């Protein structure tokens, strides 16, 4: 077989949708075999070319999310390419790594989720910049770089990401090329990076990340006034900003998040159809209030969302997160009755046809209420929990956690009837699971 046949086989491994690790291993083996065969015979028909190497790098990038060692392999292959290309005899003069090669390695580190992934990706970016001055190539690779920092948990890459993002904007403005502007995905990656920074802080970051996110958004809004700029924030970008405030845990986080929600509501009301708030917009504001234990305001925003649902069907099918978050806000604050009241409201809204309910979401809705009752001083709390569990059982939505919590609650009653009821629930779990009626209720060794 010649290099075309080898490359065709490598492409199959790189494009597989399953078993990425096995495919990447086979791709590496084929490359090694081709190099060995060419070294032994000097046959140009089996000499690996740029397509060969770039395809193997793509296979390694796909597998790096499963096994980080493939990111290391991809980096080693890239540096081997550079060394071969720079060889004095010029034998590999056509092997200069292109943007596909550099971006594959950066993506490999981005997907690997290892501690120093962002630092490793930075090194690759620096190498690329020193060997290629093509601005379009640098823009594509820088976008991948921002993704690497956004996904890296080991370091705070927000400052480096901000520098890279501003650099991309400056290059686009200097060149006057609209297509060189960062994409919405690039901005969202940066905002997600800031949100992660805030989330990693034990007591929040006092809104530092969110305020930095606001600075970027204000810059985007300023450039959006120029029709030729091509850079206009959409609702997904504003949602990412709201998420930064939700993660900040600052006392006024809910208020700040809601201010931005009102801002995009006003944009939409003035005729900007690209800024129509969606369920994520409302749910994230609710989460911001829930994170600071403000169930009252979380419920208020939920009620505003419900009113919109009555006239806007697009919000009716995707509101489970909003209800679950509001319920959690009350449950985590030790107010199980308020949480159950929201559950009843959810059921009523569904009955009246204003919202849709996915039974698969029941566990996320009921379980926090059950746990809140069990931790409370409510009189008759175990009977309330048994009633809630029965509601779930009838709909086959009770899972292992649901049963486990109630059984544990019964064990603390220390009464013969409670012990008997716990045994009945365990038998009920086994029966439901073994019959296939409710596979989510598999008894665990803990119960």
């Amino acid at each position: 077989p010649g290099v075309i046949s080898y490359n065709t086989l490598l492409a199959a491994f790189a494009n597989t949708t399953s078993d990425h690790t096995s495919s990447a291993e086979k791709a590496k083996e084929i490359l090694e075999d081709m190099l060995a065969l060419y070294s032994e015979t000097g046959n140009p028909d089996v000499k690996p070319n740029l397509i060969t190497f770039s395809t193997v790098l793509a296979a390694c990038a796909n597998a790096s999310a499963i096994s980080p060692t493939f990111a290391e392999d991809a980096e080693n292959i890239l540096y081997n390419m550079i060394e071969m290309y720079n060889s004095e005899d010029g034998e590999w003069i056509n092997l200069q790594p292109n943007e596909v090669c550099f971006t594959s390695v950066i993506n490999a580190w981005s997907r690997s989720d290892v501690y120093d992934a962002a630092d490793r990706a930075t090194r690759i970016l620096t190498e690329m910049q020193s060997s290629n001055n093509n601005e379009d190539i640098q823009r594509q690779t820088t976008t991948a770089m921002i993704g690497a920092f956004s996904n890296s948990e080991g370091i705070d890459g927000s400052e480096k990401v901000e520098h890279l993002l501003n650099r991309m904007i400056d290059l686009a403005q200097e060149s006057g090329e609209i297509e060189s502007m960062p994409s919405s995905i690039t901005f969202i990656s940066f905002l997600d990076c800031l949100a992660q920074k805030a989330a990693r802080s034990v007591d929040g970051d006092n809104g530092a990340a969110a305020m930095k996110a606001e600075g970027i958004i204000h810059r985007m809004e300023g450039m959006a006034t120029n029709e030729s700029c091509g850079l206009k924030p959409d609702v997904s970008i504003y949602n990412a900003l709201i998420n930064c405030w939700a993660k900040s845990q600052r006392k006024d986080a809910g208020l700040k998040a809601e201010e931005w929600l009102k801002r995009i509501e006003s944009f939409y009301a003035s005729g900007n159809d690209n800024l129509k708030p969606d369920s994520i917009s409302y749910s994230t504001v609710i989460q911001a209030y829930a994170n600071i234990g403000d169930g009252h305001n979380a419920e208020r925003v939920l009620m505003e969302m419900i009113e919109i649902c009555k006239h806007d069907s697009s919000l009716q099918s995707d509101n489970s997160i909003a209800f679950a978050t509001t319920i959690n806000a009350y449950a985590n604050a030790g107010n199980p009755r308020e949480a159950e009241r929201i559950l009843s409201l959810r059921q009523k809204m569904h009955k009246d046809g204003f919202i849709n309910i996915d039974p698969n979401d029941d566990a996320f809705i009921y379980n926090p209420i059950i746990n809140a009752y069990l931790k409370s001083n409510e009189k008759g709390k175990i009977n309330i929990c048994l009633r809630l569990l029965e509601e779930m059982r009838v709909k086959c939505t009770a899972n292992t956690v649901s049963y486990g919590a109630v059984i544990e609650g019964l064990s603390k009653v220390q009464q013969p009837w409670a012990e008997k009821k716990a045994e009945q629930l365990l038998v009920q779990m086994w029966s439901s699971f073994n019959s296939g009626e409710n596979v989510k209720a598999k008894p665990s060794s803990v119960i």
Side-chain angles (χ1 to χ4, degrees), residues 23 65 77 149 156 163 191 217 227 232 269 277 279 288 300 316 346 367 405 415 433 439:
S23 296
I77 291 172
F149 276 115
D156 170 24
H163 171 73
L191 295 174
I217 297 297
E227 290 296 328
K232 296 181 179 180
S279 60
R300 178 179 56 76
Q316 293 180 9
R346 173 177 179 260
N367 288 351
Q415 293 289 335
F433 176 75
V439 296

Side-chain angles (χ1 to χ4, degrees), residues 93 98 100 104 120 132 148 170 199 203 236 257 263 283 293 296 317 326 348 393 433:
I93 192 63
N98 58 15
V100 175
S104 289
R120 303 293 289 267
N132 199 314
D170 291 340
D203 298 317
S236 60
R263 187 181 182 88
S283 297
H296 174 73
S317 60
T326 307
K348 181 179 184 302
R393 187 197 67 79
F433 176 75

